Amino acid sequence: MSNPLVSVIVPTKNSSEFLDACLESIKDQTYKNIELIVVDNNSTDNTKEIARKYTDKVFNHGPERSVQRNFGAKESTGVYVLFIDSDMELAKEVVEECVKKEQATGTMGVVIPEESFGIGFWAQCKKLERSFYVGVEWMEAARFFSRKSFEQVSGYNEQMISGEDWDLSQRVEEIGKIDRIGAFIYHNEGQLRLSELLKKKYYYAQKFATYTIQNKSNSKLKKQVGGVRRFGLFFSKPFRLFKNPFVGIGMLFMKTCEFAAGVVGYVKLR
């Protein structure tokens, strides 16, 4: 099949700030045989109105991303499925490169590298942090899957609110190869505030136990959750880390605070 249908599934929740740019980037793909599905979780802003400008396949379903994504996959008809968040934008060649990779190698899933952008100092710090993860197999997770592989592992674990991307990618990797492409996803951090970042880390840490329990035998887990391994990754490229010393030190401070918030959230849960 030379031109298979690709279903792109976008979960939303009060996503009006970023959604136009996200869906426009899907519309502008060099690969055109795309089915766009938006699964909204009871937004109170104009998210659904924006989505309907781009597709008539706009559904209301919740309560969290894993449930939304699985629902979108069930409503889709594509040979391949791609899951992105509403604050992400795709480089024009992403879908085309994913399809070519799947067809050429028969992989079960494809990792798409990510780069952050946004407004303000903390967004610069997040951009620097994410740059260290590109090509690191225990940090990146696949987002593009053949329908066959996605259904074979029963999709996202709907009990997971945190770590669900790693979990799905690792389960798919158990049944076949995971590959990667060069085109990027761009993650819009917006006007990033440290206080909001720490609240989010605290919230997701409280939900992280399901992932750690179900993946305790996976060799990647200790690398993913260990602060020493993560900071070792940063210091392994000192020129990049301190090219802008102010941002580099800020990023290290940000990650230290994030890990602290995560520990507090996880311990509270236990």
Side-chain angles (χ1 to χ4, degrees):
M1 189 181 300
S2 60
N3 190 38
L5 180 65
V6 176
S7 299
V8 182
I9 297 156
V10 184
T12 57
K13 173 73 173 181
N14 293 330
S15 304
S16 60
E17 181 180 1
F18 303 122
L19 191 58
D20 254 318
C22 172
L23 301 186
E24 192 68 35
S25 76
I26 297 169
K27 177 183 175 182
D28 288 346
Q29 289 296 292
T30 56
Y31 190 90
K32 297 304 181 184
N33 195 16
I34 291 175
E35 170 189 54
L36 173 59
I37 295 177
V38 175
V39 184
D40 187 61
N41 179 16
N42 298 304
S43 288
T44 55
D45 61 7
N46 64 332
T47 290
K48 289 188 285 291
E49 288 74 15
I50 294 171
R52 290 190 184 107
K53 295 191 302 182
Y54 296 88
T55 178
D56 58 358
K57 295 185 177 182
V58 180
F59 302 94
N60 196 75
H61 199 76
E64 290 280 358
R65 289 177 305 190
S66 294
V67 176
Q68 290 175 272
R69 290 164 172 170
N70 283 346
F71 179 84
K74 289 176 183 176
E75 295 294 327
S76 70
T77 58
V79 176
Y80 301 112
V81 288
L82 168 61
F83 300 92
I84 67 167
D85 295 334
S86 58
D87 57 357
M88 293 176 171
E89 300 171 27
L90 304 181
K92 291 179 182 292
E93 305 81 14
V94 163
V95 175
E96 181 178 2
E97 288 193 19
C98 285
V99 172
K100 286 181 177 178
K101 181 67 70 173
E102 287 270 5
Q103 290 183 328
T105 65
T107 58
M108 293 290 193
V110 178
V111 171
I112 307 166
E114 296 182 26
E115 179 180 312
S116 285
F117 71 99
I119 301 169
F121 175 70
W122 298 114
Q124 293 181 54
C125 294
K126 183 58 69 174
K127 176 182 173 71
L128 176 62
E129 177 200 351
R130 199 179 294 273
S131 73
F132 286 95
Y133 302 150
V134 175
V136 179
E137 53 89 21
W138 48 270
M139 279 301 299
E140 295 184 312
R143 289 184 174 273
F144 185 95
F145 305 94
S146 67
R147 176 175 296 279
K148 180 180 178 181
S149 65
F150 182 80
E151 292 179 347
Q152 188 172 339
V153 300
S154 301
Y156 286 92
N157 184 331
E158 296 188 358
Q159 302 306 310
M160 282 188 192
I161 298 174
S162 180
E164 73 280 2
D165 292 325
W166 281 338
D167 175 74
L168 173 60
S169 188
Q170 288 158 190
R171 284 187 286 116
V172 170
E173 194 171 20
E174 290 175 359
I175 63 171
K177 184 182 178 183
I178 295 286
D179 214 323
R180 59 182 293 109
I181 62 169
F184 273 75
I185 286 175
Y186 300 101
H187 192 155
N188 191 344
E189 305 288 351
Q191 180 74 58
L192 192 62
R193 294 177 175 83
L194 183 60
S195 59
E196 294 301 317
L197 193 62
L198 299 184
K199 286 179 184 177
K200 183 183 292 187
K201 181 63 68 173
Y202 176 78
Y203 170 77
Y204 283 116
Q206 290 181 297
K207 313 293 183 181
F208 200 58
T210 304
Y211 173 76
T212 59
I213 291 169
Q214 296 196 17
N215 287 273
K216 59 184 177 182
S217 62
N218 193 299
S219 62
K220 295 181 181 180
L221 179 63
K222 288 184 179 180
K223 299 175 185 177
Q224 292 163 344
V225 302
V228 173
R229 184 62 65 96
R230 194 78 64 90
F231 278 87
L233 190 61
F234 301 148
F235 282 101
S236 69
K237 296 181 173 65
F239 178 76
R240 180 188 300 175
L241 179 60
F242 295 115
K243 183 177 181 180
N244 182 327
F246 189 50
V247 174
I249 292 170
M251 188 270 282
L252 295 174
F253 175 76
M254 177 188 75
K255 289 308 299 178
T256 301
C257 293
E258 281 190 313
F259 273 113
V263 169
V264 171
Y266 191 80
V267 169
K268 182 178 180 181
L269 172 68
R270 307 296 285 182

